[in-house]
Amino acid sequence: MSQNLVDLHCHILPGIDDGARDLNISMALLRKEIQDGVAGIVFTPHFHYERISVEDFAAKRRAAFLQVAKAAKETGLPLAAKLGAEVYFTTALPSLDLRALAFAKSNYILIEFPTTCHPAGIDETLYAVRQRGYTPILAHVERYPFVTEDPTLLYNWVSVGCLAQINASGLVREGRTAHWLLKLLEWNLVHLLCTDCHSIDGRPPNLKAGYSKLPTPIARRLRRNSIEVYLGDELVPPEPTKPQYRFGRWV
């Protein structure tokens, strides 16, 4: 797996969230992942504490996964996959069954913040999750306005043991977002590159294209990080640099 790609954040499972609507779309997404050289996938459907119990979510996730696994076997597609979740932030998170939400056979858990507001209680909740022995992976950190406005927030979370993930689409589209992502990488505030794919046309698998936009040493490091997380190994990232605001911009 050392020369292959790993996608730790995707919405390929059918009919469980706003990702693939049915099995046909799931298989099209899976074929594109494999064409791009993806050898390992963590399926991470959305989990909202306020909408569904952990038990019901796990049952629906397993049923959707079994559909994909059966179809992959019948069509001869190689499938090395694990189950996880993209957990919507709630201060109740530390009290939930985190084992059922974390990436299978690991202590990594993918957490998504709202994009419309800066929720209260982030620091305390992440601390409590870490105290339970889990490593939070902060999903698509480029999408949160409060982080863009003040990246020292991300620095603080990374400094205490959280990991940060970005979507390949931000690099592929280039422009302002890509420039910002490269700054975050320069500060060692990003550790993982994923697709967050939902559909073939709107939000497709694009991990190969995303890696192609990165300097080779950074791409190599992020690829290795994803493999370590997939395998459940402990990831020890480099020391982050705290962004400084000078002359109207972050440096």
Side-chain angles (χ1 to χ4, degrees):
M1 183 178 285
S2 61
Q3 298 303 314
N4 297 111
L5 304 181
V6 170
D7 192 4
L8 301 171
H9 181 181
C10 66
H11 299 272
I12 292 176
L13 294 184
I16 192 171
D17 60 8
D18 62 342
R21 295 192 307 273
D22 55 43
L23 185 58
N24 289 333
I25 296 176
S26 296
M27 297 311 293
L29 292 168
L30 187 58
R31 282 191 291 269
K32 179 61 168 64
E33 292 268 42
I34 293 171
Q35 289 171 4
D36 277 358
V38 174
I41 296 175
V42 179
F43 295 120
T44 55
H46 290 287
F47 170 78
H48 291 256
Y49 164 72
E50 292 81 3
R51 300 178 185 176
I52 189 172
S53 69
V54 174
E55 295 76 15
D56 287 346
F57 169 79
K60 289 185 176 182
R61 181 183 59 183
R62 176 169 174 76
F65 171 71
L66 290 176
Q67 291 184 57
V68 171
K70 182 174 182 290
K73 183 177 180 180
E74 290 174 347
T75 56
L77 286 179
L79 179 62
K82 294 185 175 185
L83 294 178
E86 183 179 10
V87 182
Y88 195 74
F89 177 80
T90 169
T91 53
L93 186 57
S95 66
L96 302 181
D97 180 7
L98 299 183
R99 179 58 56 195
L101 299 173
F103 295 174
K105 298 181 180 179
S106 86
N107 293 321
Y108 294 103
I109 184 166
L110 183 68
I111 299 173
E112 175 187 28
F113 297 138
T115 58
T116 56
C117 66
H118 183 176
I122 290 180
D123 292 358
E124 297 83 359
T125 302
L126 294 179
Y127 174 80
V129 169
R130 289 187 291 105
Q131 286 297 105
R132 289 192 55 187
Y134 292 88
T135 298
I137 298 174
L138 309 180
H140 43 59
V141 293
E142 72 276 17
R143 295 183 59 189
Y144 309 125
F146 52 92
V147 170
T148 303
E149 293 168 2
D150 184 4
T152 63
L153 293 171
L154 182 57
Y155 169 83
N156 292 336
W157 300 325
V158 168
S159 294
V160 296
C162 296
L163 300 178
Q165 175 255 311
I166 58 173
N167 289 349
S169 57
L171 295 169
V172 173
R173 293 171 188 159
E174 300 182 338
R176 184 181 303 175
T177 298
H179 177 75
W180 179 243
L181 292 181
L182 290 174
K183 291 295 292 183
L184 294 179
L185 287 162
E186 177 186 328
W187 295 324
N188 290 326
L189 296 180
V190 168
H191 314 94
L192 302 165
L193 180 68
C194 303
T195 70
D196 190 15
C197 64
H198 283 64
S199 63
I200 286 294
D201 297 325
R203 299 171 70 177
N206 52 5
L207 201 54
K208 182 179 180 180
Y211 273 113
S212 72
K213 300 296 183 179
L214 294 173
T216 298
I218 294 177
R220 186 182 298 118
R221 184 175 75 244
L222 266 59
R223 186 168 61 245
R224 184 174 61 249
N225 289 350
S226 291
I227 292 172
E228 290 183 4
V229 169
Y230 182 85
L231 295 176
D233 296 336
E234 182 182 2
L235 177 60
V236 181
E239 195 71 23
T241 297
K242 187 173 185 177
Q244 303 292 325
Y245 193 72
R246 296 174 181 169
F247 305 108
R249 63 191 183 98
W250 290 99
V251 296

Short mmCIF file of all heavy atoms in Angstrom, two decimals, residues 7 58 80 91-92 112-113 128 161 189 218 222 246:
data_model
loop_
_atom_site.label_atom_id
_atom_site.label_comp_id
_atom_site.label_asym_id
_atom_site.label_seq_id
_atom_site.Cartn_x
_atom_site.Cartn_y
_atom_site.Cartn_z
N ASP A 7 -8.07 7.11 0.76
CA ASP A 7 -9.09 8.14 0.95
C ASP A 7 -9.79 7.90 2.28
O ASP A 7 -10.49 6.91 2.46
CB ASP A 7 -10.11 8.11 -0.20
CG ASP A 7 -11.01 9.34 -0.21
OD1 ASP A 7 -10.79 10.24 0.62
OD2 ASP A 7 -11.92 9.40 -1.06
N ALA A 58 -25.20 2.91 12.96
CA ALA A 58 -24.29 1.80 12.69
C ALA A 58 -24.97 0.70 11.88
O ALA A 58 -24.36 0.10 10.99
CB ALA A 58 -23.73 1.25 14.00
N ALA A 80 -10.52 -2.59 -0.49
CA ALA A 80 -9.96 -2.61 0.86
C ALA A 80 -10.58 -1.43 1.57
O ALA A 80 -10.28 -0.28 1.26
CB ALA A 80 -8.44 -2.49 0.82
N THR A 91 -21.47 19.09 21.61
CA THR A 91 -20.79 19.02 22.90
C THR A 91 -21.10 17.71 23.62
O THR A 91 -20.45 17.38 24.61
CB THR A 91 -21.20 20.21 23.79
OG1 THR A 91 -22.62 20.27 23.88
CG2 THR A 91 -20.67 21.51 23.22
N ALA A 92 -22.08 16.95 23.11
CA ALA A 92 -22.41 15.65 23.69
C ALA A 92 -21.47 14.55 23.19
O ALA A 92 -21.55 13.41 23.66
CB ALA A 92 -23.85 15.27 23.37
N GLU A 112 -16.76 17.05 12.04
CA GLU A 112 -17.09 18.17 11.17
C GLU A 112 -17.71 19.30 11.99
O GLU A 112 -18.63 19.07 12.78
CB GLU A 112 -18.09 17.72 10.10
CG GLU A 112 -18.60 18.84 9.22
CD GLU A 112 -19.71 18.40 8.27
OE1 GLU A 112 -20.44 17.44 8.61
OE2 GLU A 112 -19.84 19.01 7.20
N PHE A 113 -17.23 20.53 11.78
CA PHE A 113 -17.82 21.69 12.41
C PHE A 113 -18.87 22.31 11.49
O PHE A 113 -18.84 22.10 10.27
CB PHE A 113 -16.75 22.75 12.72
CG PHE A 113 -15.71 22.31 13.70
CD1 PHE A 113 -14.36 22.61 13.49
CD2 PHE A 113 -16.05 21.61 14.83
CE1 PHE A 113 -13.39 22.22 14.40
CE2 PHE A 113 -15.09 21.21 15.75
CZ PHE A 113 -13.75 21.51 15.53
N ALA A 128 -12.05 16.50 25.80
CA ALA A 128 -12.71 15.34 26.39
C ALA A 128 -12.61 14.11 25.47
O ALA A 128 -12.44 12.98 25.95
CB ALA A 128 -14.18 15.66 26.67
N GLY A 161 -2.90 17.97 19.78
CA GLY A 161 -3.02 16.58 19.34
C GLY A 161 -4.06 16.26 18.31
O GLY A 161 -4.23 15.09 17.93
N LEU A 189 -0.12 22.78 9.58
CA LEU A 189 -1.44 22.74 10.20
C LEU A 189 -2.41 21.80 9.47
O LEU A 189 -3.57 21.72 9.85
CB LEU A 189 -2.04 24.15 10.25
CG LEU A 189 -1.29 25.16 11.13
CD1 LEU A 189 -1.99 26.52 11.11
CD2 LEU A 189 -1.17 24.64 12.56
N ILE A 218 5.66 17.42 0.09
CA ILE A 218 4.42 17.54 0.85
C ILE A 218 3.46 16.42 0.46
O ILE A 218 2.82 15.80 1.32
CB ILE A 218 3.77 18.92 0.64
CG1 ILE A 218 4.66 20.01 1.23
CG2 ILE A 218 2.39 18.96 1.27
CD1 ILE A 218 4.14 21.42 1.02
N LEU A 222 1.87 13.65 3.07
CA LEU A 222 0.43 13.48 3.28
C LEU A 222 -0.03 12.09 2.87
O LEU A 222 -0.91 11.50 3.52
CB LEU A 222 -0.35 14.55 2.51
CG LEU A 222 -0.70 15.82 3.30
CD1 LEU A 222 0.55 16.51 3.82
CD2 LEU A 222 -1.53 16.78 2.44
N ARG A 246 0.27 40.11 10.23
CA ARG A 246 1.13 41.28 10.04
C ARG A 246 0.72 42.02 8.76
O ARG A 246 0.53 41.38 7.72
CB ARG A 246 2.60 40.87 9.95
CG ARG A 246 3.14 40.25 11.22
CD ARG A 246 4.55 39.73 11.00
NE ARG A 246 5.09 39.10 12.21
CZ ARG A 246 6.21 38.38 12.23
NH1 ARG A 246 6.92 38.23 11.11
NH2 ARG A 246 6.62 37.83 13.35
#
